[in-house]
Amino acid sequence: TLKQHVFLVRSADDANVFLVNDSQDRLQRTLSSLELPRAVSVTNSPSSNSVSPVPSNENSEMTNVDSYDGHSRSQNSGRHRQKLPDPGRDLSIQVLEKFSLVTRFARETTSHLFRESDSFSSSERKNHIQSLPNNIDTSNNAQNVPVEPLVAADPPEFDKLTLVWGKPRQPPLGSEEWAAFLDSEGRIMDSKALRKRIFYGGVEHCLRNEVWKFLLGYHSYDSTYTEREYLISTKRSEYETIKRQWESISPAQAKRFTKFRERKGLIEKDVVRTDRSISFYDGDDNPNVMLLRDILLTYSFYNFDLGYCQGMSDLLSPILFVMKDESESFWCFVALMERLGPNFNRDQNGMHSQLFALLKLVELLDSPLHNYFKQNDCLNYFFCFRW
């Protein structure tokens, strides 16, 4: 609520302290609202408030940056102040220049798609592309009928797009190439190169059972064949021990164990609705659905503080489908939840942080889409929860 009236920035010294940011520089205030790691100390520095970051002789340098907030800075061109180095301004420009690279790539890709599309005539294409970054002009409309901002439909070629973050999508990682990443004892020699390779091409399905254990964090990249075999054996025994904790609960004990009954009931309701469209989970009394239930119940005892929340079954489902093993699926899921656990906190703090970050990125990179969400009261981004 306070942020609607003043610009707040988190203190660099104490994360629980917020400071009022009275900077008059629009770029600096935008940066502060993002709460980027290095931006805090910069916004608190005296130079950010005492020096105008836009002297008249630097207007040309700021042209690209000004386009992000949609306002002209020409009103500041007459304010001549002493030109001093301003780290806050420098960092603002660096951050927004990075954003501009992404925006430029997105727009060039969009333009390329429209050029390749046979379904758009040249005049329609020109009008369509021009309508993306600018407000729609209705001055030539004879009937003067109000026109709502349009949201472009994906061109027909969109499904055929083979770009991954600006680069051509590579073929999936195969067995021979996977073996080349391993040394004689089974260690992965260059984990960063492996992750990058998979990012741009994926993995052949027959290898996922082995590769996902590294990607999810169950196996360490520097582990050997022998170490991994020993880990699988000890973890299987540990899993059975944890599983017996809830399996040994008698019906009489369950009547006096409200938390267990609640979690068990919620899990059983969720698993029967998980991925039932594929044969692996299809049909009544499907044993794989029962495995989902058992793993999630075991996890609720392994991490009793977090327990079970809706959505966990959707994360576990593809892991079990690939691993085909109860214990290995459990420990891969445990490793994944080490990263995603904050998304399931009761206060939803982790999820809200990600949704807020997404809101800010869309606001900076795609203002027409942001304005569309704003007009339709969608700025809470709740529709992204499942993503």
Side-chain angles (χ1 to χ4, degrees):
T1 303
L2 283 175
K3 286 185 176 182
Q4 297 176 8
H5 305 285
V6 295
F7 288 93
L8 297 179
V9 57
R10 195 183 297 271
S11 170
D13 301 320
D14 188 345
N16 295 319
V17 174
F18 287 84
L19 306 175
V20 176
N21 178 16
D22 59 353
S23 170
Q24 298 303 309
D25 174 21
R26 193 181 295 110
L27 280 176
Q28 189 61 42
R29 291 185 299 186
T30 301
L31 187 68
S32 298
S33 67
L34 287 173
E35 295 186 1
L36 298 171
R38 285 182 54 210
V40 175
S41 58
V42 171
T43 53
N44 292 338
S45 63
S47 61
S48 63
N49 293 331
S50 61
V51 181
S52 172
V54 195
S56 59
N57 60 353
E58 293 186 22
N59 284 339
S60 60
E61 183 179 327
M62 294 294 293
T63 301
N64 292 334
V65 180
D66 291 342
S67 63
Y68 281 94
D69 56 25
H71 298 286
S72 172
R73 290 186 175 275
S74 59
Q75 58 185 351
N76 294 329
S77 60
R79 302 176 185 175
H80 297 274
R81 299 190 183 184
Q82 183 182 3
K83 185 175 180 180
L84 295 175
D86 186 351
R89 172 184 175 280
D90 293 341
L91 182 56
S92 301
I93 293 174
Q94 290 174 16
V95 172
L96 293 180
E97 279 179 347
K98 297 297 183 184
F99 288 147
S100 72
L101 295 177
V102 180
T103 306
R104 191 181 313 136
F105 161 71
R107 288 179 177 170
E108 288 174 356
T109 303
T110 304
S111 301
H112 173 73
L113 288 173
F114 284 127
R115 283 196 300 271
E116 294 294 327
S117 174
D118 294 331
S119 62
F120 285 87
S121 66
S122 59
S123 59
E124 289 174 331
R125 188 186 311 122
K126 179 179 179 182
N127 293 334
H128 193 80
I129 295 176
Q130 287 178 346
S131 68
L132 290 178
N134 302 318
N135 292 329
I136 294 177
D137 184 7
T138 60
S139 59
N140 294 329
N141 192 336
Q143 298 180 353
N144 215 13
V145 178
V147 179
E148 294 184 359
L150 300 177
V151 175
D154 291 333
E157 281 78 6
F158 185 79
D159 290 337
K160 302 175 185 178
L161 186 63
T162 57
L163 293 179
V164 180
W165 198 243
K167 294 184 179 181
R169 182 174 180 85
Q170 300 176 14
L173 181 74
S175 300
E176 292 184 5
E177 192 176 0
W178 164 244
F181 279 99
L182 305 174
D183 65 12
S184 58
E185 294 184 332
R187 299 183 185 90
I188 293 177
M189 296 177 288
D190 191 341
S191 61
K192 184 177 180 180
L194 174 65
R195 295 195 302 270
K196 186 176 181 179
R197 171 66 181 86
I198 294 173
F199 178 81
Y200 284 106
V203 182
E204 288 184 354
H205 182 69
C206 61
L207 284 176
R208 286 179 179 152
N209 179 284
E210 186 175 359
V211 177
W212 276 25
K213 295 171 189 175
F214 293 93
L215 299 179
L216 291 169
Y218 178 38
H219 290 324
S220 61
Y221 289 104
D222 59 354
S223 61
T224 64
Y225 293 123
T226 304
E227 290 171 342
R228 292 196 287 271
E229 289 178 4
Y230 177 75
L231 177 70
I232 290 174
S233 175
T234 56
K235 286 295 185 181
R236 192 179 305 280
S237 175
E238 185 178 350
Y239 172 75
E240 294 298 331
T241 301
I242 302 171
K243 184 178 179 180
R244 282 195 294 271
Q245 292 177 1
W246 64 265
E247 285 184 323
S248 62
I249 296 176
S250 65
Q253 185 183 3
K255 291 180 180 179
R256 298 167 178 81
F257 198 166
T258 303
K259 183 68 71 174
F260 172 71
R261 293 199 315 273
E262 290 176 350
R263 290 181 178 178
K264 187 172 184 289
L266 183 58
I267 289 172
E268 289 176 343
K269 289 178 181 178
D270 280 355
V271 295
V272 296
R273 299 178 295 191
T274 303
D275 290 338
R276 299 309 293 269
S277 60
I278 64 174
S279 59
F280 189 77
Y281 294 110
D282 190 23
D284 296 332
D285 299 323
N286 187 305
N288 297 318
V289 173
M290 294 300 101
L291 280 180
L292 271 180
R293 184 205 67 171
D294 290 354
I295 295 172
L296 291 170
L297 266 173
T298 305
Y299 181 79
S300 72
F301 271 72
Y302 174 81
N303 189 347
F304 201 83
D305 289 340
L306 182 59
Y308 175 79
C309 301
Q310 273 191 315
M312 289 183 179
S313 59
D314 292 319
L315 297 178
L316 173 60
S317 168
I319 295 176
L320 179 59
F321 176 80
V322 167
M323 297 300 162
K324 304 290 194 301
D325 181 272
E326 184 176 356
S327 173
E328 292 182 359
S329 298
F330 172 80
W331 291 112
C332 286
F333 179 70
V334 167
L336 179 64
M337 290 303 298
E338 289 296 314
R339 300 207 312 262
L340 301 184
N343 288 358
F344 296 94
N345 289 339
R346 286 191 175 274
D347 60 4
Q348 296 181 340
N349 183 51
M351 185 65 72
H352 284 304
S353 297
Q354 294 186 75
L355 295 181
F356 179 75
L358 184 59
L359 181 151
K360 285 297 180 181
L361 287 172
V362 172
E363 184 179 8
L364 285 166
L365 299 177
D366 196 338
S367 57
L369 181 60
H370 174 79
N371 292 333
Y372 176 81
F373 287 154
K374 186 175 182 180
Q375 291 170 7
N376 290 274
D377 196 24
C378 295
L379 290 183
N380 53 29
Y381 276 71
F382 287 161
F383 56 89
C384 297
F385 255 79
R386 189 174 180 87
W387 301 358

